[in-house]
Amino acid sequence: MPERHSSMSPTVTSMIRLDHMHVLAAFHRYHADSSWWRKRAIVNSTCDALEIHAQLEEEIFYPALATALPDDPTLVKSRPEHDEMRATIARLRGMGPENAAYDGLFQQLMREVIHHVADEETILLPAAERALATELRSLGTTMTQRRLQLLKERPAEIAVNTAGTFPVATFLLGSALVLAVRYCLPKSHRRQWDHSRDD
Ligand SMILES: [Fe+2]
Ligand SMILES: [Fe+2]
């Protein structure tokens, strides 16, 4: 992406915070007494979003931070924590909402993610903002491009799973959607779009 596009991209740390906010909101929308189809839609779309988020962090954010803080203990344990989360996701995908263990397993995933997100938000993101200040926007651009690629790899799955969970869809798409919409607009409409988003 040309530099002028990079300068308009959200920073990588603000994109990560936005992803976190959306997944935590999705957790709050899950209730044990909800219908089975709503539970499954929330669980599947949340798992899709978490998998994509973890992959983006591992491919783009963690390696960049590791160049500045290679031995940071919170950074070192981040990938193993993603792997724990992936194992819980695999168990959830292997059962249906009718299973008595489904609610408990989703709560376990919530606890794992909340603990992990707290470490990222209190330690890793502030550390990145100190150590990588000049790279945060270009890393954000790279993350947006990679997110679009990953979304293309599973369009049907995401369309089905987000059908009843629109707020989670915004998490999956995140700023990728914002950039995609902006660049699809004719030039004459872009300024209007930008102003409307600033209001
Ligand atoms: Fe993470
Ligand atoms: Fe994260």
Side-chain angles (χ1 to χ4, degrees), residues 55-190:
Q55 187 171 348
L56 291 172
E57 286 184 337
E58 291 179 8
E59 290 183 3
I60 298 159
F61 178 63
Y62 294 165
L65 190 53
T67 61
L69 304 168
D71 302 319
D72 183 279
T74 307
L75 182 58
V76 168
K77 71 185 177 74
S78 287
R79 285 173 192 265
E81 286 182 356
H82 282 182
D83 289 339
E84 269 179 46
M85 180 190 79
R86 289 186 180 102
T88 307
I89 287 173
R91 290 173 63 200
L92 268 169
R93 289 198 197 282
M95 68 171 70
E98 72 287 352
N99 189 308
Y102 198 75
D103 292 340
L105 201 52
F106 192 57
Q107 284 167 2
Q108 178 184 322
L109 180 66
M110 282 189 219
R111 286 192 296 274
E112 290 168 355
V113 169
I114 287 169
H115 165 83
H116 179 79
V117 161
D119 278 351
E120 288 187 341
E121 299 234 354
T122 57
I123 298 169
L124 296 189
L125 298 182
E129 283 161 352
R130 288 189 298 271
L132 304 171
T134 58
E135 297 165 58
L136 296 175
R137 282 193 195 279
S138 59
L139 288 167
T141 302
T142 306
M143 189 175 270
T144 296
Q145 290 169 330
R146 183 64 179 134
R147 189 191 300 264
L148 288 170
Q149 282 177 344
L150 294 175
L151 288 168
K152 269 192 216 161
E153 288 172 11
R154 39 171 126 183
E157 185 185 337
I158 284 168
V160 168
N161 291 335
T162 56
T165 57
F166 181 72
V168 184
T170 62
F171 168 40
L172 276 161
L173 297 167
S175 53
L177 179 63
V178 173
L179 289 179
V181 168
R182 187 186 183 283
Y183 292 118
C184 285
L185 288 172
K187 256 187 184 167
S188 56
H189 288 72
R190 284 187 192 165

